[in-house]
Amino acid sequence: MLRNALSAATRSALQQSRTATTLSAGFPKVTQRLPTKYGGVYTVTLIPGDGIGGEITDSVKEIFEHVNAPIEWEQYDVSGVSSAGEDLFKQAMESLKRNRVGLKGILFTPISQTGHISWNVAMRQQLDIYASVVMCKSLPGFPTRHSNVDFAIIRENTEGEYSGLEHQSYPGVVESLKVSTRAKAERIARFAFDFALKNNRKKVTCVHKANIMKLGDGLFLNTFRRIAEEYKSLGIVSNDMIIDNTSMQLVAKPGQFDVMVMPNLYGAIISNIGAALVGGPGIVPGCNIGRDYALFEPGCRHVASDIMGTNRANPTAMVLSATMMLRHLGLDSIANSIASATFDVINAGEVRTADMGGAATTSEFTDAIIKKL
């Protein structure tokens, strides 16, 4: 429970908080294969990523070492800055398939037509880690425009606009295909409702654009509505909202949202709005869950190359993503300790990185967490 992870000064105000938070989120039991474990130690694939990835994953490694977490890293310094790292990327993929659990930063994806495809997307598609989960929750001690924001974003991770199927049918005319399938729409809808049940959440909102994309988004929406009928008797309320209205409603009245489920591209947009509501990309954790694999990464997929190497990055999102990974592995007590220390540092307000209005370095923020442990 979140109240166990916060300082005594904030516990009374949060006693009714739900368990699906950045500290503790229960996931539907979709993973069938167990993670790799030898002698009580889990082997986890680590991909620091580009930009600030190396700095914030170093924070995680320092904290894990301090608490003696039973994790052994298989690290692959993959970079998406050029296609020259493709061989290393393939090695990292083999490691993920072997270990079944990974922690990663964000890999750069070039905009140029001559650049390689997104390796972030390739991982999700090849491993079929179809459910992206991003937790957006107000943190005690760090006030933003809206208080008591608390919702989960469930994003279909493997199709939609990210299918990567484009061609030039005539000079100056490009066709980009959005692929939607009933099977994957049903799969992600069930995941969202099961997530709501497991985490004591009461409403699931489907985000779509079926008024314009009547076949593609219409299929997603109609599938959602059909699945929603199966959960009515379990006390889960459902509704749906067009993506543009959703964006406005999030900024105006975020408290109306609980669990949100949506196709791929809309998830990219909404997760960034959600992060802005609670303090920025530096504090929002996330993960990608599939039948056989789980990959944990910050909820907002930013490389942040503008502050790379300056020791100014906020490691909170990566640290909390790592605690979600620990819970996935059944290491709840260690996860709770680390998340509790992180929340206590934020609540105290004495050590804050630049994005939170402070002047602390990444190293200083990491040290502050360790001192709380």
Side-chain angles (χ1 to χ4, degrees), residues 45-364:
T45 302
L46 176 63
I47 304 172
D50 291 310
I52 61 173
E55 296 161 73
I56 58 179
T57 52
D58 279 349
S59 294
V60 171
K61 289 194 287 185
E62 288 179 38
I63 293 168
F64 276 31
E65 183 177 356
H66 179 80
V67 298
N68 199 26
I71 302 296
E72 181 177 291
W73 304 107
E74 281 188 2
Q75 182 167 333
Y76 293 86
D77 296 324
V78 182
S79 174
V81 174
S82 74
S83 58
E86 187 170 354
D87 287 341
L88 191 58
F89 170 74
K90 291 178 180 178
Q91 293 176 34
M93 287 296 294
E94 289 303 313
S95 174
L96 282 168
K97 291 175 182 177
R98 182 170 59 250
N99 298 326
R100 303 175 191 125
V101 176
L103 180 71
K104 70 177 283 290
I106 310 304
L107 296 170
F108 176 78
T109 301
I111 297 176
S112 168
Q113 293 182 24
T114 59
H116 59 78
I117 63 170
S118 170
W119 289 344
N120 300 293
V121 174
M123 284 183 180
R124 298 170 201 137
Q125 292 178 340
Q126 291 180 30
L127 299 176
D128 197 28
I129 39 180
Y130 63 89
S132 166
V133 181
V134 177
M135 307 303 303
C136 297
K137 185 173 177 65
S138 301
L139 297 181
F142 185 46
T144 54
R145 182 183 297 271
H146 296 282
S147 59
N148 299 320
V149 175
D150 182 8
F151 59 86
I153 300 167
I154 312 293
R155 168 186 178 184
E156 205 295 315
N157 237 356
T158 62
E159 59 176 12
E161 297 85 356
Y162 285 56
S163 300
L165 301 174
E166 296 182 306
H167 65 275
Q168 183 171 257
S169 57
Y170 185 81
V173 179
V174 173
E175 294 178 334
S176 182
L177 301 182
K178 172 178 177 173
V179 177
S180 303
T181 63
R182 180 178 289 107
K184 291 191 175 182
E186 179 171 333
R187 184 171 66 170
I188 198 66
R190 288 191 185 280
F191 183 98
F193 281 103
D194 288 340
F195 180 92
L197 279 174
K198 193 171 183 66
N199 293 287
N200 194 31
R201 290 178 177 263
K202 303 302 182 184
K203 184 171 75 170
V204 180
T205 302
C206 175
V207 180
H208 65 92
K209 192 64 177 175
N211 60 323
I212 302 300
M213 287 171 276
K214 299 181 186 299
L215 291 179
D217 279 23
L219 175 64
F220 191 91
L221 175 59
N222 290 331
T223 302
F224 169 84
R225 287 174 172 171
R226 175 170 56 82
I227 300 303
E229 291 296 317
E230 300 177 19
Y231 289 83
K232 269 188 177 180
S233 62
L234 299 174
I236 304 297
V237 176
S238 66
N239 71 331
D240 56 79
M241 192 175 292
I242 294 172
I243 177 62
D244 32 341
N245 184 33
T246 303
S247 300
M248 179 183 70
Q249 293 295 329
L250 272 171
V251 174
K253 300 176 181 178
Q256 67 186 286
F257 297 103
D258 197 354
V259 175
M260 308 169 73
V261 62
M262 61 205 73
N264 213 333
L265 178 61
Y266 309 153
I269 297 168
I270 296 301
S271 62
N272 279 269
I273 296 175
L277 288 171
V278 297
I283 63 173
V284 177
C287 66
N288 306 279
I289 302 292
R291 182 178 176 85
D292 296 318
Y293 309 101
L295 186 60
F296 297 80
E297 64 182 353
C300 263
R301 298 164 181 175
H302 294 272
V303 174
S305 56
D306 56 324
I307 59 172
M308 177 179 64
T310 63
N311 199 25
R312 295 170 54 206
N314 186 346
T316 301
M318 183 62 84
V319 171
L320 293 178
S321 298
T323 65
M324 294 171 75
M325 181 193 76
L326 289 173
R327 294 186 65 83
H328 175 75
L329 295 172
L331 302 170
D332 291 27
S333 61
I334 300 176
N336 289 349
S337 296
I338 296 172
S340 173
T342 305
F343 290 136
D344 282 347
V345 169
I346 293 172
N347 190 40
E350 297 173 359
V351 182
R352 288 185 174 172
T353 49
D355 62 312
M356 301 181 78
T361 64
T362 308
S363 302
E364 290 168 343

